[in-house]
Amino acid sequence: MAVEVGDAAPDFELKDQHGTPVKLSDFRGKKKVVLVFYPLAFSGVCTGELCTIRDELPTLGGEDDVQVLAVSVDSVWALRTWAEQEKYPFPLLSDFWPHGGAAQSYGVFDDTKGIAIRGTFIIDTDGVVRWKVVHPPAEARDFREYRKALAEI
């Protein structure tokens, strides 16, 4: 079942690229979260999207107010290599096992391909989804939409 605007964001705990557990609910009351599901590390569209987020992160409202969490089914080790290569300053979370569990809880898991589709959810400090956009794996998202949505929250 897909998560809709106005729903409570399903909580999860996943390991980041360093193997450190990250729990979505830890940001409640502290920061808005831009939760970005993407198909696979090292792919062209995914690299382009996350590099844009990396480069434009300061325009989202600053690290004190907004936390980006990027999620894929890749292993922690692949995510660490990719994060180091691209110098991503935000956590890359491994939804490796149970395979795609977090993506499934948000309704953005393609069970025929075993990957997340491109889903972004902006979650307010109360843990409520305030904006979402979903695209097929081959279609990049427009970063300007993130900035606009965050400004309206």
Side-chain angles (χ1 to χ4, degrees), residues 72-90:
S72 76
V73 297
D74 295 292
S75 72
V76 167
W77 301 279
L79 294 177
R80 181 179 306 155
T81 301
W82 194 40
E84 289 172 359
Q85 176 182 304
E86 299 297 338
K87 299 179 178 27
Y88 295 132
F90 44 82

Side-chain angles (χ1 to χ4, degrees), residues 14 23 54 63 95 120:
L14 299 172
K23 194 171 185 179
R54 176 199 64 205
E63 291 183 26
D95 198 12
T120 302

Side-chain angles (χ1 to χ4, degrees), residues 18-63:
H18 304 291
T20 305
V22 175
K23 194 171 185 179
L24 178 64
S25 58
D26 287 345
F27 298 99
R28 231 173 254 154
K30 300 173 187 168
K31 295 183 179 187
K32 298 172 200 165
V33 174
V34 178
L35 180 59
V36 180
F37 289 94
Y38 61 95
L40 294 168
F42 297 101
S43 62
V45 176
C46 296
T47 299
E49 283 188 319
L50 293 189
C51 285
T52 298
I53 292 171
R54 176 199 64 205
D55 297 344
E56 297 293 330
L57 191 57
T59 69
L60 288 180
E63 291 183 26

Side-chain angles (χ1 to χ4, degrees), residues 108-139:
V108 293
F109 187 74
D110 181 337
D111 58 4
T112 61
K113 295 180 180 172
I115 59 174
I117 58 175
R118 294 182 195 286
T120 302
F121 301 83
I122 295 182
I123 302 162
D124 69 13
T125 56
D126 294 323
V128 176
V129 175
R130 294 293 174 201
W131 182 85
K132 80 175 222 181
V133 65
V134 177
H135 289 276
E139 185 181 322

